Amino acid sequence: MALLEVDKVSKRFGGLQALNGVSFSVERGEILGIIGPNGAGKTTLFGVISGFTPPSSGDVRFDGRRIVGVSPDRLTRRGLIRSFQIVQTFAEMTALDVVTTAALTRRPIRQAVDYAAQVLTRVGLGSKLDDTPATLSLQDKKLLELAKCVATDPQCILLDEVMAGLTMAETEAPIAIIRELNRQGVTFVMVEHVMPVIMRLATRMVVINFGEKIAEASPDEIINDRRVIDAYFGEHLDA
Ligand SMILES: Nc1ncnc2c1ncn2[C@@H]1O[C@H](COP(=O)(O)OP(=O)(O)O)[C@@H](O)[C@H]1O
Ligand SMILES: [Mg+2]
C-alpha cells in the first residue's frame, strides 16, 4: 500500500481553479519530485496534503487513512510534516527554541531540547543553536527549516523549494541530509525548481501545470517529454 495517495484533488480559490483533479501516489521510501511553473498549484497541493488548505473536492490518504479535515498538528503526530517555502520565525526565538518546539511533538521538554540540539548538529547548525533565525544566512535558514521537520520524527516530509535561492555549492549540504534521511526510511515529496537538484534526488517525478498533472515519469523520461519542456522550461531551453 502506498504511503500517500492523492486522489482527484481539486481546489478553487474564488474564480481560480488552482488544482484540478490531481491524483498520484507515493510509495514508502520514495523521493517524489514535483515540478511545474510558478502558479501551477504546487504549494496549494502541499497545503491540501498537509491539512492547511481544505480541498474543494477529492481525497488524500496517508498511511492507509483519509486525512482530509485532519489538522496539521495531528498530521505531524502521525508522521506527515511539511516545510514552508517562506522561512517563518518568531523574532525572539533561537534556532534551538524553534527546533525544540518541533521536537515536542514526540518528547517531553527536557528530552526535546537535547534532541533539538542533536538534530541541529546533524544538519550542520551545531554552532548556531543560540542564533535567532533572522540573523542566519539563507542556506542556514533552509537547513533550519529541514531541522524543524526532522525533529518531529516524520515518516514523510513535504519539502517546498528548500533549495530555492541557494548556489549549487550550497545545495550539497541539504542534498546530503535528504539522502541520509531517505536511507533511514524517510519518504520525501519535494517541490523544487532547481532542476539539477531534483534530477539527482527524485526517484519519480510529477509535473503540474495550470493545476493539472500533465506528466508522471522517471527524471530521465521527464526531461525528454515535449509537454514538460513546453510547459516548464519554456522557450529558453529551445534556444
Ligand atoms: N490563498 C489563496 N487565495 C487565492 N488564490 C491563491 C491562494 N493561494 C494560491 N492562490 C493562487 O493559486 C495559484 C497556485 O498558486 P501556488 O499553489 O502557490 O502555485 P506554485 O506553488 O505552483 O507556484 C496561483 O494563481 C495563486 O495566485
Ligand atoms: Mg509554490
Side-chain angles (χ1 to χ4, degrees):
M1 188 181 53
L3 180 60
L4 177 68
E5 291 172 278
V6 174
D7 188 7
K8 301 190 201 70
V9 163
S10 295
K11 177 64 185 182
R12 178 172 278 281
F13 293 114
L16 181 92
Q17 192 75 45
L19 292 172
N20 190 12
V22 173
S23 299
F24 61 88
S25 59
V26 185
E27 303 299 322
R28 278 169 211 279
E30 256 198 302
I31 300 180
L32 180 78
I34 298 184
I35 62 169
N38 270 324
K42 304 177 302 294
T43 296
T44 304
L45 178 64
F46 271 13
V48 170
I49 296 171
S50 58
F52 286 89
T53 310
S56 306
S57 62
D59 240 338
V60 184
R61 285 178 293 276
F62 179 69
D63 208 8
R65 292 150 88 185
R66 288 194 62 221
I67 58 169
V68 169
V70 179
S71 70
D73 194 49
R74 278 182 176 278
L75 290 178
T76 301
R77 273 181 265 136
R78 287 198 201 168
L80 178 64
I81 185 84
R82 78 179 281 195
S83 73
F84 281 90
Q85 192 171 356
I86 296 153
V87 181
Q88 300 166 323
T89 54
F90 298 103
E92 67 279 12
M93 289 177 98
T94 64
L96 184 62
D97 294 335
V98 167
V99 179
T100 298
T101 305
L104 284 169
T105 302
R106 293 184 213 285
R107 287 171 175 76
I109 182 71
R110 292 192 58 153
Q111 287 169 33
V113 176
D114 290 346
Y115 186 58
Q118 271 176 45
V119 170
L120 280 162
T121 302
R122 190 167 160 195
V123 302
L125 295 177
S127 64
K128 295 172 184 167
L129 304 187
D130 297 328
D131 292 16
T132 55
T135 65
L136 295 176
S137 68
L138 181 67
Q139 184 191 31
D140 286 349
K141 283 184 177 132
K142 301 281 190 177
L143 292 171
L144 179 63
E145 195 63 26
L146 206 48
K148 258 170 70 184
C149 293
V150 172
T152 67
D153 296 312
Q155 295 189 65
C156 181
I157 305 181
L158 310 176
L159 293 177
D160 199 353
E161 297 198 33
V162 277
M163 312 287 178
L166 302 185
T167 64
M168 274 304 148
E170 287 171 336
T171 63
E172 291 303 331
I175 286 173
I177 293 162
I178 290 164
R179 283 213 170 117
E180 176 60 21
L181 290 164
N182 183 244
R183 261 196 297 274
Q184 292 164 6
V186 180
T187 302
F188 284 88
V189 185
M190 297 182 65
V191 164
E192 198 53 70
H193 268 299
V194 184
M195 283 304 281
V197 169
I198 197 81
M199 298 293 292
R200 277 171 65 189
L201 284 171
T203 48
R204 205 156 51 88
M205 310 253 279
V206 161
V207 186
I208 310 272
N209 195 25
F210 293 112
E212 300 193 1
K213 184 176 90 173
I214 61 163
E216 177 177 344
S218 71
D220 285 347
E221 289 165 322
I222 287 292
I223 48 164
N224 294 309
D225 187 313
R226 190 72 233 172
R227 287 166 308 163
V228 175
I229 293 166
D230 290 346
Y232 186 58
F233 301 98
E235 284 154 25
H236 66 275
L237 207 94
D238 293 334

